[in-house]
Structure formats: structure tokens, C-alpha cells
Amino acid sequence: MSPATAPRTPRAEYRAGLLSQLSRFVLVGCLAAVVDYGLYQILLHLDMLASVSKAISFICGTTTAYLLNRRFTFGQAAPAGASRFAKFLLLYGTTFFVNVGMNSLSLHFMPDGLPLETSLCWLIAQGTSTCINFLVLRMVVFRHTP
């Protein structure tokens, strides 16, 4: 039997599944980030406060991410239902404050006049909430229960 046709161990299947989900999550996250960042920049150029801009853009990016992750990334993992949606709302409600808070903290502590200051702060906030989201989405919200 060649290595390509050898049966996979449960650990190997878990890793393959994790890698597959992670790659789809990153792809969906990139699209949602384009929505979030694009809207954030538009609202800033319209002279909206940074925290308000970040809040609105986060909600729009999050909605995009949830809809795509539900179908594309974790679609086979768990049945739809009110419980899953409630867990999602709790998670994203929490990461909303983490995201907006990290953006505000980063803007506060970032040296003035730094090139791409708002973009860097947005990236710090986005990276923090994205890590939290993937872990909780995979292990709680869209957890596969046999």
C-alpha cells in the first residue's frame, strides 16, 4: 500500500480537517476584512469618529464573516439553530468590544505621525479578535457533535 492510499489515523484526519477549516476561515476572513477595512476608511474620510467608524465597520465585516463561515467554513459541523446563533451573538458581542477597544488603545499608544497609523491600529484590533473568533467558532459555536 502506498503512502498516498494508506488509511488515515484519527489524528491525521483531525489535522487535515483543522487545516481545511483554517484555510477557509482565512479566505472568508480576508473578504470580511476588506468589507470592514474599506468601510472603516470611508467613514473616517467622512470625518466620523474613529470609534464609531470602527464599530460600524466591525458589525458589517462580522455579518459578512458569519454568513460565509456558517455556509463555507463550518457548514457541515453543526446543525443550525437558535442555540448556535445565541453563541455566535455572545462571541461577536464580546469580540466587538475587544476589537473596538484594541483599536482605541492602539490609536492612543501609537506614536503620532507614524505612517499608516490608523491602518496599523486596525490590523492589531483585527488580528486580536480574529484569533479569538476562530478558536471559539471552531470549539464552541460550530462544534461538531457526533
Side-chain angles (χ1 to χ4, degrees):
M1 191 181 286
S2 74
T5 59
R8 287 183 149 177
T9 65
R11 185 176 181 109
E13 285 183 23
Y14 175 80
R15 282 186 183 156
L18 176 62
L19 225 71
S20 175
Q21 276 186 337
L22 186 57
S23 62
R24 287 180 294 198
F25 183 79
V26 167
L27 182 63
V28 165
C30 287
L31 179 59
V34 167
V35 170
D36 184 340
Y37 184 74
L39 187 55
Y40 180 58
Q41 290 298 317
I42 290 168
L43 295 173
L44 287 175
H45 286 321
L46 294 174
D47 291 329
M48 192 173 284
L49 291 172
S51 292
V52 174
S53 299
K54 187 65 186 112
I56 293 169
S57 70
F58 178 84
I59 290 168
C60 292
T62 296
T63 302
T64 302
Y66 176 73
L67 293 172
L68 292 174
N69 276 320
R70 180 183 69 179
R71 178 85 50 212
F72 181 63
T73 306
F74 302 105
Q76 305 301 321
S83 171
R84 181 173 75 178
F85 189 67
K87 290 174 188 175
F88 164 80
L89 288 177
L90 182 61
L91 168 63
Y92 276 84
T94 302
T95 55
F96 169 82
F97 290 106
V98 169
N99 190 292
V100 174
M102 285 299 294
N103 190 68
S104 293
L105 277 172
S106 298
L107 285 168
H108 178 74
F109 288 109
M110 196 66 59
D112 287 336
L114 189 69
L116 302 172
E117 177 183 354
T118 56
S119 297
L120 184 58
C121 294
W122 178 89
L123 189 61
I124 291 168
Q126 194 67 24
T128 303
S129 61
T130 297
C131 291
I132 295 167
N133 285 340
F134 179 75
L135 291 172
V136 178
L137 284 172
R138 180 172 168 78
M139 299 176 87
V140 178
V141 177
F142 294 111
R143 182 177 170 196
H144 177 67
T145 52

